[in-house]
Amino acid sequence: MVKEIERYGIPIVHMATITTISESVGANRIVPTVAIPYPVGNPELAEDRERAVRDELVERAVNALGTEVKEPTIFKG
């Protein structure tokens, strides 16, 4: 489905814990996340630190949206 959406000119970012799966389904922009039960957070962190983790992941995803790619690209922090 990711490739079909991008075919219409809409960039997609796959935020995923297991990036190899994202690559195998054809995602072009991949942002690795924290863990399977909490992909964009960590409830064991203090509230302010968890917020910083979430903000960083979203910022990385937004930056990935504006990046032209030709093949699967993993956007690491």
Side-chain angles (χ1 to χ4, degrees):
M1 174 163 328
V2 172
K3 284 187 172 186
E4 291 301 315
I5 294 172
E6 289 207 357
R7 190 177 313 209
Y8 286 96
I10 302 169
I12 298 291
V13 174
H14 235 227
M15 297 178 76
T17 304
I18 305 172
T19 58
T20 53
I21 294 173
S22 296
E23 289 175 306
S24 71
V25 299
N28 282 329
R29 294 169 190 83
I30 304 164
V31 172
T33 57
V34 179
I36 290 172
Y38 306 103
V40 289
N42 183 346
E44 295 180 13
L45 295 176
E47 186 176 335
D48 61 332
R49 181 66 189 123
E50 182 182 30
R51 176 61 188 240
V53 168
R54 289 173 182 243
D55 288 349
E56 193 276 326
L57 286 168
V58 170
E59 184 176 331
R60 197 178 328 156
V62 169
N63 288 335
L65 281 173
T67 303
E68 190 70 33
V69 296
K70 300 285 186 214
E71 60 187 30
T73 305
I74 298 177
F75 292 85
K76 296 180 180 179

